[in-house]
Amino acid sequence: MIKPQLISFTVTSEDWGDDIENFAVDVQIDIGPYNTEGADTFSFRVISPKRLELYLDGNNVEIGRGIFIMKDYNIGAIQFQVNRLLDNCKGDSWREVALLLSRYFHWEYEE
């Protein structure tokens, strides 16, 4: 059984609105099979409910994959959630694991 591990966690951009309750932060994570070399890149956006409301203003639908929603920006809580998801995405091949991860994150090799 292949278990994924977090190799790196990088904030790639931050967009803070007029107040601390209005933010969008883009994150890139590298994830690879546990105890092996190599990793694939995944990404996601962390947004506040206030920012989500702005996204929905004038739009009817916002797709939720690759989006983490939280009221108060807390990088420790985000990393905890990522690791929790990794613990639940095991498979018989790396491709199977990566496809499971792509339910939550944008995968660099998505078809």
Side-chain angles (χ1 to χ4, degrees), residues 17-55:
D18 296 337
D19 62 60
I20 62 171
E21 294 178 350
N22 179 3
F23 59 85
V25 176
D26 292 323
V27 177
Q28 179 178 303
I29 52 178
D30 292 329
I31 301 170
Y34 186 75
N35 279 342
T36 63
E37 300 260 337
D40 288 356
T41 300
F42 296 83
S43 61
F44 61 96
R45 175 170 277 185
V46 180
I47 63 171
S48 65
K50 190 172 232 177
R51 181 60 59 97
L52 180 60
E53 189 175 310
L54 293 174
Y55 286 170

Side-chain angles (χ1 to χ4, degrees), residues 19-106:
D19 62 60
I20 62 171
E21 294 178 350
N22 179 3
F23 59 85
V25 176
D26 292 323
V27 177
Q28 179 178 303
I29 52 178
D30 292 329
I31 301 170
Y34 186 75
N35 279 342
T36 63
E37 300 260 337
D40 288 356
T41 300
F42 296 83
S43 61
F44 61 96
R45 175 170 277 185
V46 180
I47 63 171
S48 65
K50 190 172 232 177
R51 181 60 59 97
L52 180 60
E53 189 175 310
L54 293 174
Y55 286 170
L56 295 173
D57 190 32
N59 294 319
N60 293 329
V61 177
E62 177 69 29
I63 304 299
R65 187 175 67 90
I67 297 175
F68 287 30
I69 303 166
M70 62 189 320
K71 284 185 169 185
D72 298 314
Y73 182 74
N74 179 324
I75 198 161
I78 298 164
Q79 291 172 328
F80 177 82
Q81 182 65 33
V82 167
N83 282 310
R84 200 185 94 177
L85 291 170
L86 295 183
D87 286 343
N88 291 308
C89 292
K90 298 174 184 130
D92 294 326
S93 70
W94 176 247
R95 179 160 176 74
E96 183 180 334
V97 172
L99 287 171
L100 289 171
L101 293 169
S102 71
R103 293 177 179 174
Y104 307 103
F105 313 110
H106 297 286

Side-chain angles (χ1 to χ4, degrees), residues 6-17:
L6 182 64
I7 306 297
S8 70
F9 183 103
T10 307
V11 173
T12 57
S13 72
E14 299 178 25
D15 181 8
W16 298 91

